[in-house]
Amino acid sequence: MDLKKIFGTVLTLLGIGGLIYTAVLFANGTGTTKMLLVYGVLGAIFFFSGVGLVRNTSS
């Protein structure tokens, strides 16, 4: 496997983890608005950058 694909996969998994963590905090009502925004935005950035990196890396 190429190093870019591995890094893209790691970023995607971190993004998924961040988005799931944000959803759990939101569902439990324990997170503040600022905390939910930070985790949600960082999770989305990691997720979409990882997907884009994996997609644009030639096989």
Side-chain angles (χ1 to χ4, degrees):
M1 250 181 123
D2 194 17
L3 187 60
K4 285 184 182 180
K5 283 191 177 188
I6 294 172
F7 189 62
T9 304
V10 169
L11 281 176
T12 303
L13 292 175
L14 282 173
I16 290 171
L19 291 173
I20 289 173
Y21 186 63
T22 304
V24 168
L25 287 178
F26 180 74
N28 289 337
T30 57
T32 63
T33 305
K34 185 177 181 180
M35 191 166 66
L36 291 174
L37 278 173
V38 169
Y39 290 147
V41 168
L42 283 176
I45 289 172
F46 283 177
F47 178 74
F48 288 116
S49 64
V51 168
L53 189 61
V54 170
R55 184 181 297 167
N56 291 332
T57 304
S58 60
S59 320

